[in-house]
Amino acid sequence: MGALNSLPDEPQYVGLAEKTGFSFEQIGILHKRFKQLSNNGETLRREDFNTIPDLLCNPIRSEIIEAFFDRRNFRQTDAVGTVHEIGFGEFLLVMSHFRPPSIRLDDEQKEVIRTEKLRFLFNMHDTDNDGTITLEEYRHVVEELLSRSGALGKETAKGIADAAMLEVASISMGHMEPDEFYEGITFEHFNKLLKEFEVESRMNIRFMNMDTTTLCK
Amino acid sequence: MFWSGVKPRRGVEMIAFVIGVCTVLSLPFGSNGEAIPQKPTGDVSIMPPIKPADGPQAFPDAEKANMPVFTMDYPRIQLPFEITLWVLLASFAKIGFHVYHKITVWVPESCLLIAIGLMVGGIMHSVHEEPPAVLSSNVFFLYMLPPIVLDSGYFIPTRAFFENIGTVLWFAVVGTLWNSIGIGMSLFAICQIEAFGVQDINLQENLLFASIISAVDPVAVLSVFEDVSVNEQLYIVVFGECLFNDAVTVVLYNMFSYVADMPEVEPVDVFLGVARFFVVGLGGMGFGLLFGLVASFTTRFTGNVRAIEPLFIFMYSYLAYLVAELFAISSIMAIVTCAITMKYYVEENVSQRSCTTIRHVIKMLGSISETLIFFFLGVVTITTEHEWNWGYIMFTLLFAFLWRGLGVLVLTQIINPFRTIPFNMKDQFGLSYGGLRGAISFALAYTLPDNIGRRQLFITATICIIIFTVFIQGISIRPLIELINVRRTNRNLDTINSEIHCRVMEHTLSGIEDLCGQWSHYYWKDKFMKFNNLVLRKILIKDKRAESSIVALYKKLELQNAMEILDTVTGDLSAAPSLVSLYEEKKGPASNPKKKFGRADLRSMHDLLSKNMYKIRERTLAYTNKNALPNESQSKEILIRRHASIRRSIRPGSFQNEPVPKSQKYFSLPAGQNLDSHFPFKRRSRADDEETMSETAYPSRRIRFNRPSRSSSRAMVPLQRMGTLTEASSVDVMNEDPRRPRAPPLPAPRRHSEDVPDEDTEKEDDGTAEPANPPTSPSWAAEPTERPENRTVRNPLLRKPQWNPKRQ
């Protein structure tokens, strides 16, 4: 392991560490991985992601990749739209959504983390950024999810997405007036929908301090 | 129903009361009471245990010469007879507990069983009865243990288990070793103190004893955890620990009882022991895997012998157990691995009925086995001779408690850095306090070989620790868990949305892990699922298509939904809350309309049923073969129908879409409007129209609660409302033969599209639609082949009485 890789420019990392909450070791490892993916370049493009063999079989690959190029995930306020290439900082910011929270958190902090993580998921669904997951978007995701499971037609996926949408409508719009329409899942409804789903404790990746980059394809 | 519930309770109460009285009375008299023991024998006549030997033989001996008119051969049936009665008694006790719900909430069932056992034991003691000597080592290991282990192995929550497998194994293996060695060593130290008078117990025997009492058996705790729904991680670790530490304990037990014979223990033996430990554990796993796969493979071909399908599951698991026993490797590991392996594949291969049978039988055998052991424990506590040694027993209790707490504390510190969700102090408290000892410990102690010098003392100490932990900890754990407010989880998230989002999240995580080059169980799960879909499923499963868990859940919900309709209509109008979360009306405040069930509703229900279940009757033709059970395809039919209807329900949206682009998102029809008013009869068949109309209202059925009249012609009647029915007449209506002429309140309910009078009461939207509907185009017209059947099959469900007989 070269000195360059194991101890990269600290000052740059301090800012990143503050922003993302990663430790220096973790940042170092992720940086290595970043370089590996970008062929030692400064930026990552969508094509770089497409070359990861492990990712190829992921049914929602395109959503995952898209999430990295989505300004909304960069923890800036009011940023929308997509970018064409990301630097290491952005890469790390997106990754930081998956950082496990510390054990000792009060309910308020937990709620913040929970909202953050849910927002990430929500943004993955809400591709046109209009604040709702529309039926079309929902169908798309379900279709993709089921795309790996063999002979299930698009019709099945549609049926399931539709049923799921009905479910959301019945759960979140407790009292719909006859002239109301359910336009799509808003973030509030999304939050309510997954109320029982402990996303804050489940949507976590244990970023190890161990360097596994050499094993990666 | 009602009576069957009450009667046994009375019986048990009576017995319990009598037993209690007798016990109390007989205690002071000791063994010389003549008059009192008479009473119990009479009262407790259902109690099997070995009647005095002179009774049964009297008859055959008396008249030898002639052809006996009446004979009795009790010895012939003695053993199965007594076993049956024991099982029956234990089962009665169980019924008794469950009649009083409040008891089982606060006092674990095992406590009650032991208490009953104590009473029975008291009576038996007072009449100088010996408990039947059925619980020998062989009986326990070959017949009683497998069902218990199969039960917990089969019902372990697979996903949670594999998410926490490292921690589970860590606590089960290392924790048990820690406890055994810790307790054994400390007890050996205690034995050196002369004052206690137990210097003759050597280290090996202490270790053996310690391994016996370090098997935790937190059935009672698990049910408490389930009730208060503690977080999944804690639950699964306790569950998995009790499962696998049985395996570890039995291995240790065998090892130590082998070592206990040896006068000297060489260092080589220790190494061999360690090696053997791994051989035994991994070997058991291997056999289990093998038999699990073979069992799954077999069920691929059982489609034509549905009746014996469940048998394969039991036989293969038992075979795995026995073969593992044959090679003296961990049979518990074998049967558990077998169950975990085959469960997933088997349940996809076998029919719904077989699946239910399998689950019920496994549960039944497991709980009977456990009940008997606890019951027996109570009896033995009274009837055997005890060797009481204050010092040894008290220190055993102390050490068991201490080492368990210490072990959890230390082991959690080690495992926490490796966990995504670390255990906090409350979880650790739950873990350590949940370490009850139970059936396995007792059985192991009771089957100790006779050459152990202080066998009596060990049995006494084991019983003490079991009773102490089960009673004190078992009763107090619920208040304590509630008091310290352990983190909780809702473990039953049966909505499609949670499943979808859960899958999305998992795929995302696994993708991100791929991206950043970190591997945890999501990565491995992803890889396993790939392997599973590519290879295993193709080999093991009849229906080779890979199935997503979303689809599976969807089907399940659909099935529940359909079953609920069936249940509701065939008369089971229990007010039990709906299982189907698709219809989570009860959550909303305005969700319980408590509405009377009107004529119109009935009709719409009929419509719904005729649409959903039109094929059931046809299926009955398939039941001609005597050996074949009715298969599950009818429920599949329902699914297909429902599925199609849900798909159709979206269509109106797309129809509206062209002129009004935004309305793609519309899920419910605009108020007071109707598809037809917008687009009168374009592009659509009449059947489709009817179908879509009725289905469109489905998402917004709450509207219809407010405007009940509108709902009348809807096929998708709100299902919840059926649950709140009170009118008994509706039940009768349902069970009637549809061809019999019906008087009101249900005039001609079958021909929904022809029922113009009722439709007239509707609001204007339906008014425009219905008259336009030709009366001959009922909703099922979409399937033209069904048309001729319409007259007779209109409401197939109503024919239940008809197709039932055909099944036999």
Side-chain angles (χ1 to χ4, degrees):
Chain A
M1 255 171 260
L4 180 78
N5 281 340
S6 52
L7 266 180
D9 1 339
E10 290 282 347
Q12 181 205 340
Y13 280 9
V14 173
L16 285 175
E18 268 173 16
K19 241 191 204 166
T20 59
F22 283 118
S23 72
F24 289 144
E25 289 94 343
Q26 287 168 335
I27 293 178
I29 289 163
L30 286 174
H31 199 186
K32 254 171 109 182
R33 177 68 177 161
F34 180 82
K35 289 219 157 130
Q36 190 188 18
L37 290 177
S38 62
N39 297 320
N40 273 329
E42 286 300 308
T43 54
L44 268 179
R45 302 174 145 268
R46 287 186 175 81
E47 299 87 77
D48 297 322
F49 284 99
N50 285 330
T51 56
I52 305 172
D54 282 337
L55 203 56
L56 276 178
C57 50
N58 201 316
I60 54 167
R61 185 172 61 108
S62 62
E63 271 85 2
I64 296 173
I65 296 178
E66 217 40 59
F68 277 89
F69 296 94
D70 194 332
R71 284 219 178 98
R72 289 173 293 175
N73 293 334
F74 295 161
R75 294 179 189 262
Q76 295 154 359
T77 41
D78 300 331
V80 287
T82 55
V83 292
H84 289 294
E85 47 183 32
I86 52 169
F88 180 57
E90 283 84 30
F91 183 76
L92 216 54
L93 279 172
V94 175
M95 285 285 178
S96 70
H97 285 97
F98 297 93
R99 219 166 39 83
S102 86
I103 322 174
R104 286 172 200 82
L105 285 181
D106 54 33
D107 288 345
E108 216 168 285
Q109 285 165 310
K110 251 188 201 159
E111 196 54 39
V112 171
I113 288 171
R114 180 188 149 75
T115 316
E116 214 170 77
K117 289 185 192 268
L118 277 182
R119 180 59 86 173
F120 187 89
L121 281 184
F122 185 79
N123 287 345
M124 281 179 71
H125 291 292
D126 181 21
T127 44
D128 62 357
N129 190 36
D130 62 351
T132 54
I133 301 173
T134 56
L135 182 61
E136 286 299 294
E137 285 165 346
Y138 209 31
R139 277 181 185 169
H140 179 68
V141 171
V142 175
E143 248 168 54
E144 294 224 316
L145 272 181
L146 299 180
S147 62
R148 303 279 155 181
S149 27
L152 283 167
K154 284 197 166 183
E155 285 294 296
T156 319
K158 251 187 198 166
I160 292 176
D162 296 344
M165 204 68 173
L166 303 187
E167 191 186 272
V168 186
S170 68
I171 291 176
S172 47
M173 304 292 284
H175 216 61
M176 280 220 293
E177 291 305 313
D179 52 348
E180 269 185 310
F181 321 117
Y182 196 64
E183 305 216 359
I185 311 170
T186 62
F187 185 68
E188 286 73 49
H189 293 167
F190 191 70
N191 201 342
K192 196 168 158 193
L193 194 68
L194 298 179
K195 195 172 55 201
E196 306 284 330
F197 185 76
E198 294 178 311
V199 73
E200 70 271 14
S201 56
R202 296 180 67 173
M203 202 172 111
N204 296 324
I205 294 176
R206 210 156 32 78
F207 290 97
M208 284 176 282
N209 294 331
M210 194 167 55
D211 188 4
T212 51
T213 324
T214 43
L215 301 170
C216 292
K217 279 170 274 183
Chain B
M1 269 297 271
F2 181 67
W3 281 109
S4 66
V6 169
K7 260 171 151 179
R9 180 191 65 172
R10 288 279 151 73
V12 171
E13 265 182 344
M14 286 287 286
I15 294 167
F17 175 72
V18 172
I19 287 170
V21 170
C22 299
T23 321
V24 170
L25 287 180
S26 58
L27 275 179
F29 287 86
S31 53
N32 64 345
E34 293 297 64
I36 293 141
Q38 282 304 63
K39 218 163 98 190
T41 32
D43 280 335
V44 197
S45 51
I46 55 161
M47 239 195 336
I50 305 171
K51 293 271 166 249
D54 55 331
Q57 275 91 353
F59 272 102
D61 286 343
E63 14 191 324
K64 236 180 193 157
N66 299 340
M67 174 86 156
V69 181
F70 176 74
T71 60
M72 250 172 81
D73 189 3
Y74 183 65
R76 190 172 119 84
I77 60 153
Q78 184 180 18
L79 188 68
F81 184 72
E82 284 173 1
I83 291 174
T84 312
L85 285 182
W86 274 96
V87 172
L88 208 59
L89 181 58
S91 313
F92 272 138
K94 273 204 148 181
I95 298 179
F97 308 149
H98 282 284
V99 168
Y100 290 122
H101 282 293
K102 277 179 189 145
I103 293 187
T104 39
V105 166
W106 294 107
V107 183
E109 211 180 88
S110 36
C111 294
L112 296 172
L113 278 171
I114 294 178
I116 297 264
L118 287 173
M119 291 178 196
V120 174
I123 294 158
M124 288 170 73
H125 185 68
S126 60
V127 294
H128 310 290
E129 276 292 350
E130 283 290 306
V134 283
L135 193 65
S136 69
S137 173
N138 265 346
V139 169
F140 173 70
F141 281 111
L142 296 186
Y143 307 114
M144 315 263 303
L145 188 57
I148 299 180
V149 187
L150 182 64
D151 179 21
S152 33
Y154 195 81
F155 289 100
I156 196 164
T158 322
R159 176 185 287 196
F161 170 67
F162 281 109
E163 280 177 12
N164 296 286
I165 187 164
T167 317
V168 167
L169 289 180
W170 175 253
F171 275 107
V173 177
V174 183
T176 310
L177 279 174
W178 168 284
N179 276 334
S180 312
I181 294 174
I183 298 173
M185 293 288 184
S186 340
L187 280 179
F188 181 61
I190 292 301
C191 288
Q192 306 313 309
I193 301 171
E194 271 180 41
F196 296 131
V198 282
Q199 286 104 319
D200 57 322
I201 306 178
N202 60 21
L203 181 62
Q204 292 98 307
E205 283 174 347
N206 267 321
L207 285 172
L208 175 64
F209 172 64
S211 77
I212 288 172
I213 60 166
S214 51
V216 298
D217 178 22
V219 196
V221 177
L222 282 178
S223 66
V224 170
F225 280 5
E226 234 165 279
D227 278 357
V228 301
S229 70
V230 299
N231 61 78
E232 196 178 48
Q233 290 77 33
L234 179 57
Y235 180 83
I236 196 66
V237 167
V238 173
F239 194 125
E241 189 193 357
C242 90
L243 191 56
F244 285 98
N245 82 1
D246 287 351
V248 178
T249 306
V250 171
V251 172
L252 283 180
Y253 173 81
N254 286 332
M255 223 160 75
F256 286 136
S257 53
Y258 178 73
V259 170
D261 287 344
M262 294 196 285
E264 289 285 310
V265 183
E266 307 275 324
V268 187
D269 292 327
V270 175
F271 282 112
L272 285 180
V274 173
R276 172 157 180 75
F277 188 80
F278 282 102
V279 169
V280 163
L282 296 178
M285 245 186 240
F287 270 108
L289 204 64
L290 184 72
F291 276 96
L293 293 178
V294 173
S296 320
F297 189 64
T298 312
T299 51
R300 250 188 97 157
F301 307 103
T302 52
N304 297 323
V305 283
R306 293 287 191 213
I308 58 163
E309 212 168 39
L311 205 59
F312 285 105
I313 310 309
F314 306 122
M315 291 304 112
Y316 271 117
S317 345
Y318 196 45
L319 212 57
Y321 187 89
L322 290 182
V323 170
E325 196 84 333
L326 169 72
F327 292 110
I329 55 180
S330 173
S331 37
I332 298 182
M333 276 308 232
I335 198 169
V336 165
T337 325
C338 179
I340 293 177
T341 313
M342 72 186 176
K343 181 184 178 190
Y344 171 74
Y345 302 105
V346 161
E347 292 202 343
E348 289 222 2
N349 275 337
V350 301
S351 70
Q352 191 68 39
R353 277 159 203 267
S354 307
C355 183
T356 314
T357 314
I358 292 168
R359 284 160 175 245
H360 275 219
V361 172
I362 288 180
K363 264 267 170 279
M364 187 183 79
L365 292 178
S367 72
I368 278 299
S369 201
E370 203 161 69
T371 306
L372 277 181
I373 294 183
F374 273 120
F375 194 73
F376 198 70
L377 183 143
V379 174
V380 165
T381 307
I382 302 284
T383 49
T384 48
E385 280 179 26
H386 291 289
E387 182 187 343
W388 189 263
N389 185 314
W390 272 104
Y392 195 76
I393 289 169
M394 283 302 130
F395 273 106
T396 306
L397 273 179
L398 178 72
F399 286 138
F401 201 74
L402 216 62
W403 282 100
R404 168 97 191 159
L406 210 62
V408 169
L409 209 64
V410 171
L411 294 180
T412 324
Q413 295 316 312
I414 300 173
I415 198 78
N416 253 350
F418 297 96
R419 289 184 56 81
T420 324
I421 313 163
F423 285 121
N424 57 24
M425 287 309 282
K426 290 173 180 175
D427 292 337
Q428 291 177 36
F429 173 78
L431 262 177
S432 51
Y433 202 72
L436 310 192
R437 270 64 168 180
I440 305 270
S441 296
F442 167 70
L444 285 177
Y446 195 72
T447 54
L448 271 176
D450 285 331
N451 56 4
I452 303 286
R454 296 286 195 127
R455 183 169 175 270
Q456 295 292 350
L457 176 61
F458 287 158
I459 294 179
T460 307
T462 310
I463 289 177
C464 270
I465 193 168
I466 291 173
I467 289 183
F468 179 82
T469 53
V470 166
F471 275 79
I472 309 250
Q473 284 173 242
I475 292 175
S476 64
I477 193 160
R478 179 188 295 265
L480 279 173
I481 288 281
E482 281 173 354
L483 183 74
I484 65 171
N485 198 10
V486 171
R487 198 162 56 83
R488 302 185 186 200
T489 308
N490 189 352
R491 265 177 290 104
N492 308 312
L493 286 170
D494 268 355
T495 69
I496 294 192
N497 280 292
S498 340
E499 183 67 26
I500 288 176
H501 293 300
C502 183
R503 302 288 303 169
V504 167
M505 189 199 71
E506 281 178 10
H507 283 303
T508 312
L509 287 181
S510 116
I512 300 283
E513 281 178 9
D514 287 337
L515 265 174
C516 63
Q518 307 273 353
W519 297 308
S520 70
H521 73 260
Y522 289 110
Y523 176 85
W524 293 112
K525 187 182 173 185
D526 219 43
K527 294 292 166 283
F528 173 74
M529 288 315 274
K530 219 167 85 186
F531 173 68
N532 182 33
N533 283 339
L534 283 179
V535 183
L536 286 181
R537 287 185 64 98
K538 291 210 171 115
I539 301 172
L540 299 179
I541 290 190
K542 219 182 327 179
D543 179 17
K544 290 189 188 98
R545 278 180 297 115
E547 190 173 62
S548 160
S549 64
I550 300 175
V551 182
L553 179 78
Y554 181 67
K555 281 187 180 164
K556 194 176 115 199
L557 290 178
E558 289 281 282
L559 192 64
Q560 277 180 358
N561 188 0
M563 290 299 169
E564 204 170 69
I565 299 171
L566 274 167
D567 279 355
T568 316
V569 174
T570 47
D572 182 10
L573 293 177
S574 64
S578 144
L579 288 172
V580 187
S581 46
L582 262 180
Y583 304 100
E584 261 165 86
E585 310 288 333
K586 52 182 184 289
K587 284 192 175 166
S591 58
N592 268 330
K594 291 285 180 204
K595 184 178 156 292
K596 280 292 172 198
F597 195 65
R599 200 179 60 138
D601 294 323
L602 257 185
R603 176 183 334 239
S604 60
M605 202 156 89
H606 281 250
D607 290 351
L608 163 72
L609 294 174
S610 56
K611 282 170 73 178
N612 278 341
M613 293 162 196
Y614 68 105
K615 272 189 178 166
I616 287 179
R617 187 164 169 277
E618 288 175 315
R619 296 252 71 101
T620 60
L621 298 176
Y623 304 155
T624 45
N625 186 350
K626 183 189 156 214
N627 292 323
L629 289 177
N631 60 17
E632 82 280 22
S633 38
Q634 57 185 8
S635 47
K636 276 193 187 147
E637 290 299 333
I638 298 169
L639 290 190
I640 294 165
R641 286 289 295 166
R642 281 277 295 126
H643 198 126
S645 61
I646 286 196
R647 232 185 291 133
R648 246 176 254 129
S649 73
I650 304 306
R651 246 174 254 169
S654 11
F655 285 131
Q656 280 189 333
N657 200 16
E658 284 127 16
V660 193
K662 204 52 178 153
S663 66
Q664 184 87 30
K665 296 170 186 170
Y666 290 4
F667 245 77
S668 57
L669 279 174
Q673 290 173 345
N674 185 288
L675 292 172
D676 304 282
S677 55
H678 278 302
F679 313 103
F681 321 129
K682 286 189 289 190
R683 291 181 304 249
R684 278 169 290 161
S685 71
R686 298 251 42 82
D688 199 15
D689 184 15
E690 166 69 23
E691 189 87 56
T692 47
M693 264 203 40
S694 42
E695 301 294 344
T696 317
Y698 165 49
S700 54
R701 45 190 192 294
R702 279 149 211 277
I703 297 167
R704 283 174 286 131
F705 287 139
N706 301 331
R707 302 168 58 189
S709 57
R710 273 189 67 194
S711 72
S712 55
S713 74
R714 305 298 195 209
M716 294 305 295
V717 65
L719 295 173
Q720 257 61 33
R721 213 185 302 159
M722 296 183 186
T724 62
L725 292 185
T726 43
E727 283 184 19
S729 67
S730 61
V731 183
D732 301 332
V733 167
M734 288 307 151
N735 291 329
E736 289 275 359
D737 185 332
R739 276 181 297 208
R740 200 178 302 162
R742 285 286 313 170
L746 189 73
R750 291 100 212 168
R751 312 298 306 266
H752 70 290
S753 46
E754 288 168 322
D755 265 323
V756 185
D758 186 57
E759 314 294 342
D760 285 343
T761 65
E762 302 241 295
K763 295 270 159 89
E764 73 284 9
D765 53 344
D766 294 319
T768 56
E770 294 296 337
N773 261 336
T776 45
S777 68
S779 60
W780 50 76
E783 286 82 14
T785 46
E786 304 307 325
R787 288 297 304 282
E789 289 274 306
N790 276 343
R791 303 290 141 142
T792 43
V793 195
R794 269 164 266 148
N795 255 313
L797 208 78
L798 301 183
R799 313 194 150 232
K800 206 162 184 199
Q802 283 187 334
W803 62 271
N804 252 337
K806 282 189 192 171
R807 270 196 303 183
Q808 284 124 33

